[in-house]
Structures are given as C-alpha cells and as structure tokens.
Amino acid sequence: MAASTLNPYDLYDVRSMLSEEEAMVQDTVARFTDERVLPIIGDCFDKGVFPTDLIPEMAELGLLGSSLPTDYGCAGMNAVSYGLICQELERGDSGIRSFASVQSSLCMYPIYAYGSEEQRRQWLPQMAAGKVIGCFGLTEPHGGSDPANMKTSARRDGGDWIINGAKMWITNGNLAHIAIVWAQTEEGIQGFIVEKGTPGFVAQEIHKKMSLRASVTSGLFFDNVRVPDANRLPNVKGLKGPLGCLTQARYGITWGPIGAAIACLHEATEYSKTRVLFNRPIAATQSVQLKLADMARRITQAQLLSLQLGRLKDAGKMQPTQVSLAKWNNVRMALDIAREARDILGGAGITTEYCPIRHALNLESVITYEGTETVHQLVVGRELTGINAF
Ligand code: TGC
Ligand code: FAD
C-alpha cells in the first residue's frame, strides 16, 4: 500500500488555506504548547494549580489581546490567527486557553470597544504585557444562562458608584488585578472596572473542582464597593455590552476544542497501534478503526466550520447565531471524542498519565460556560423559527 500523504489531524488540508502569517502563528503557538505546556500540564491539573510562570511567555508571543491594535501594545492579528492561538493552546489544556480567552476577549476587548481613550491607554498595554490580569464578572449565583435577570447593582453616589452583589464561577478571579463587572443601574446594565484591593471587594477561590483544575475559578463579592465614574465603561449600556464580549470569546472557543480533540485522537491512535489483544493491535480491529475514523470526520467538520467562521469574522460579516452553531457543534464534538478516546485507552485512560480524561473533564466546563449547549441550540432554533423558546 502506498504511504498516505494526508495529515491524519488535518485530512482536508485546512492548513493550505492559511496565509503565511496565520501558519506562522500556528507554528509558534504549537511550539509553545509542545515545549512549555505539555511537559507540566498533567501535574498542574493533578495539583489544581494554574501555571502563572507561563503568563510572561504568552505575553511575549503576543497572545494576550492578539487581535487588538498595535497602538495599544497588542499584536494586531486577524481573527483566524486568534482562532489558531486558541486551538493550539487548548491542545495543551482548556485552562490555558481559558486564561487567554478571558484576558483577550472578555477583559481587553470591552476596554477597547466600550472604554474611554484614557482607560484604553491606562490598561491595554499592561494587559498585553501580562502585567495586569483581568477577570470578567457576568454570571451570578442564581443562574448564569439568564444574565438579563442580574441582581448585582450599581447606584450613583455623587461622582462615584456603589456596587453591591455577587458573581460566581469567575475565571482568573483570584489572579486578577482588575475585574470587569457588569451591574444593573438606573440606566440599564453597565460595565465597571473594579480594581483588586478596593474596600468591600473580595475574590474567593472555588475548590473541589473536577474540571479546569489548571485554571483559577472564583466567586466575587461586592459589599458597598465604591468606584469612581472614571472606572465605568462609558460607551455601552444594556445587555448587548456583555453579550458582545461573549461573541468574541465564543468565537475563539469554537477553535479551542479542536485542539483538545486532536490531542485525544493522537493519543488514542498511538495507543491502539501498540495495544495488542487477541494477537493483534486493537488498531487492526474494525470497531476501533471506526471510532478513530469517526473522530477524524468530526474534527474535519469542525476545522472547516471554524475557518469559515473566522473568514466571515475577518470580513466583518459574522453573526452571533453562526457563533452559537459552531460553539455547540465543536464543543460537543470534542467532548464526545475525549470520552471515546478515554474508552480506547481502557483502564489506562482513567489516569492523567494520558490526556483524554483531562480533556474530557475540562470540556464538561467548556460545554457549560460561554452559554450552555442548550442556550446555543435555542439561539439556532430561534433563528430558524423566529420564536424565542428560552
Ligand atoms: P436579547 O435580550 O434579545 O438581546 C439583548 C441585546 O443584546 C444583543 N445581543 C448580542 N450582541 C452581541 N452578541 C450577542 N451574542 C448578542 N445576543 C444578543 C441584542 O441585539 C440586544 O441588543 P439591543 O441593542 O436590542 O439591546 O438577548 P437574547 O435573548 O439574545 O439573550 C438570551 C441569551 C440566553 C441568548 C443570552 O442571555 C445568553 O447568551 N445567555 C448565556 C449567558 C452566557 O453565555 N454567559 C457566559 C458568561 S462568561 C463565561 O462563561 C466565561 S468562561 C470564559 C473562559 O474561562 O473561557
Ligand atoms: P444555569 O443557567 O442555572 O443552567 C442550568 C441548566 O439549565 C443548564 O443545563 C442549562 O442549559 C439549562 N437551561 C437554562 N435555560 C434553559 C431553558 N430556557 N430551557 C432549557 N434548559 C435551560 N461566568 C462569567 O461570568 N465569567 C467567567 O469567567 C466564567 N468562567 C467560568 C468558568 C468555569 C469553570 C465555569 C464552570 C463557569 C464559568 N462561568 C463564568 C459561568 C458560566 O458562564 C455559567 O456556568 C453558564 O453560563 C451557565 O450558568 P449556570 O451555571 O448558572 O447554569
């Protein structure tokens, strides 16, 4: 049989559709993941710690706020490059990609898109350099899927605002120097930059997580927290503010799980070629080949979906419903593949010596955050029928 020229992890040669610059970004981040993330990440997951040492290196590579303009110390890359960054980081671990998503799409983006020029100049260069870390507080303890029912409030008091309430499940919460906090005001939902150490503001880390263990997740609590009006994001009011940030982050999340799925397919393929049972490697059985082929089929679909989504985004034509469809499809794809890969590894698959169980556990968060699978299905259903079924 002639040797195949196909790349098993890119059967439709999506790579050939990338520009030279996009391919270079992918290679650079892939190298970072291979050399800096993969050797340590299993241990970080076991211990439940986020590897903060990697932050300056990610900043050095331009991975923080990568799509924002160079005027603010950012790399000014396009949307496809941002997607590839997410894919390669999540091939390492969803926690590393989460860190970059939150910093870039949920904290730097709103400061850029909704902030004053002073706020942009004050925060963006330091955030791109990894010297200031952000977190994004939208979800509240009583239910994250319905952020319109927000209880955290901000009321004017002279030239200041007084914030009261609580946010739950906040990535980077205890790492962050600033929190982008969304609160109800008399004029609708508004965003505030709340600095660590402001009296009445407390971040409390959430423990006992079985998912995203190499990521910091926290509750944020606000007890009469006073912030000046200069810390309010002046250029947006209403739910479209936070939802606009989510569209940016969800776009990146359509790419990230492709990386996790590729890591799982790779592990399952290699294992199945060396695991000999009933006198042949299990890779020589039809049922294992069928499973591997199905993984490759679903990865290929996801790669094509995200690339086209990225091209639409770069053309300024991407719609939130398209993001919902891809977030739903690609996270579901990766979660199913991680579980199937775990099964192919048998008992060995239950240990973090191999990546599938770590990815599967992480993807249980990814399928929930940034809009649950049901939320995205209902967004697509609403697009088709014109009926809001939430
Ligand atoms: P609706 O009331 O119709 O719309 C309100 C306003 O928002 C606009 N809009 C959007 N804008 C940008 N992007 C979107 N995706 C948007 N969706 C809606 C809309 O046009 C309207 O504007 P205006 O000018 O008319 O006021 O809102 P809806 O009915 O569409 O929303 C319902 C629903 C359920 C889809 C929404 O509430 C939702 O997405 N819920 C899920 C909440 C969620 O995803 N939370 C995520 C929290 S952050 C997080 O999980 C970070 S994890 C990060 C990590 O670690 O990687
Ligand atoms: P709920 O909204 O209570 O949903 C519970 C169940 O009800 C789900 O299965 C949901 O699909 C279902 N459901 C909801 N509405 C309907 C409906 N109309 N019809 C049928 N079923 C429905 N949030 C932030 O703001 N910032 C962060 O940085 C952040 N990071 C996170 C990190 C992790 C590790 C996790 C796990 C979460 C994070 N989140 C963050 C929160 C995340 O966005 C929420 O968990 C998510 O939006 C769901 O909210 P909930 O957990 O309150 O579930």
Side-chain angles (χ1 to χ4, degrees):
M1 195 179 75
S4 170
T5 54
L6 294 178
N7 173 351
Y9 308 108
D10 183 11
L11 286 177
Y12 268 45
D13 202 7
V14 167
R15 170 82 177 191
S16 68
M17 294 188 266
L18 303 181
S19 70
E20 223 172 274
E21 187 188 333
E22 290 160 355
M24 198 181 74
V25 170
Q26 180 171 28
D27 290 345
T28 305
V29 186
R31 206 173 314 118
F32 170 76
T33 293
D34 288 339
E35 292 174 4
R36 305 293 296 136
V37 178
L38 291 178
I40 58 161
I41 199 63
D43 206 32
C44 291
F45 186 93
D46 291 345
K47 292 184 175 140
V49 295
F50 173 76
T52 47
D53 293 357
L54 298 182
I55 297 174
E57 296 177 46
M58 291 169 77
E60 186 67 28
L61 294 175
L63 309 190
L64 307 180
S66 60
S67 304
L68 299 183
T70 50
D71 302 0
Y72 301 104
C74 303
M77 296 183 211
N78 70 0
V80 169
S81 297
Y82 175 50
L84 290 162
I85 291 170
C86 290
Q87 179 179 313
E88 291 305 327
L89 291 180
E90 197 149 352
R91 190 166 58 75
D93 193 85
S94 304
I96 308 295
R97 197 270 307 137
S98 265
F99 171 82
S101 292
V102 169
Q103 180 81 348
S104 301
S105 291
L106 296 182
C107 297
M108 296 175 74
Y109 172 80
I111 293 173
Y112 173 70
Y114 312 138
S116 65
E117 192 52 32
E118 294 73 39
Q119 290 168 340
R120 293 172 173 187
R121 300 255 166 236
Q122 179 178 1
W123 297 112
L124 294 179
Q126 296 194 75
M127 295 180 85
K131 297 202 167 108
V132 168
I133 305 305
C135 67
F136 176 88
L138 178 63
T139 304
E140 300 190 348
H142 60 273
S145 298
D146 184 15
N149 182 27
M150 187 178 291
K151 311 243 185 283
T152 298
S153 67
R155 70 174 164 79
R156 271 189 192 276
D157 185 42
D160 296 336
W161 292 83
I162 309 293
I163 303 178
N164 278 291
K167 300 288 177 179
M168 188 66 179
W169 303 116
I170 306 305
T171 301
N172 296 350
N174 279 75
L175 273 184
H177 305 95
I178 58 170
I180 305 292
V181 179
W182 298 95
Q184 284 285 3
T185 73
E186 279 187 349
E187 300 143 62
I189 290 172
Q190 298 200 66
F192 298 85
I193 301 170
V194 180
E195 295 178 47
K196 184 178 179 173
T198 308
F201 171 35
V202 176
Q204 213 168 74
E205 191 161 351
I206 297 171
H207 296 289
K208 302 194 180 183
K209 288 186 302 174
M210 298 305 289
S211 175
L212 278 185
R213 288 182 52 74
S215 170
V216 173
T217 316
S218 311
L220 307 182
F221 302 93
F222 306 89
D223 180 13
N224 286 314
V225 175
R226 180 178 287 275
V227 297
D229 190 50
N231 284 28
R232 183 176 57 89
L233 298 175
N235 298 326
V236 78
K237 284 201 179 91
L239 197 56
K240 66 171 181 279
L243 292 186
C245 305
L246 297 187
T247 296
Q248 306 304 313
R250 289 167 176 173
Y251 161 74
I253 292 175
T254 75
W255 288 83
I258 297 170
I262 287 173
C264 292
L265 172 58
H266 179 258
E267 194 98 278
T269 306
E270 294 308 308
Y271 189 87
S272 69
K273 286 198 270 192
T274 56
R275 188 69 172 173
V276 177
L277 296 167
F278 303 101
N279 300 319
R280 61 185 170 170
I282 56 172
T285 66
Q286 291 187 355
S287 64
V288 168
Q289 286 200 9
L290 198 145
K291 287 176 184 173
L292 298 175
D294 199 52
M295 292 182 196
R297 173 182 68 84
R298 294 185 68 184
I299 288 171
T300 304
Q301 290 170 339
Q303 286 167 324
L304 293 169
L305 205 58
S306 278
L307 182 65
Q308 171 62 3
L309 192 66
R311 295 290 178 229
L312 288 171
K313 191 172 194 307
D314 277 324
K317 292 182 185 162
M318 185 183 82
Q319 297 292 320
T321 303
Q322 295 168 326
V323 181
S324 282
L325 182 74
K327 199 263 183 185
W328 159 25
N329 185 75
N330 292 10
V331 182
R332 169 53 64 186
M333 168 282 295
L335 179 56
D336 290 349
I337 285 176
R339 288 172 175 166
E340 196 75 274
R342 208 275 333 132
D343 175 66
I344 289 173
L345 269 64
I350 71 154
T351 75
T352 53
E353 288 294 317
Y354 297 91
C355 72
I357 195 147
R358 176 168 53 78
H359 283 300
L361 289 168
N362 284 339
L363 288 159
E364 294 290 346
S365 284
V366 182
I367 206 162
T368 289
Y369 69 35
E370 292 284 359
T372 65
E373 184 173 57
T374 305
V375 161
H376 292 295
Q377 289 166 331
L378 294 179
V379 167
V380 176
R382 182 171 64 181
E383 186 76 31
L384 298 179
T385 62
I387 301 167
N388 188 343
F390 287 104

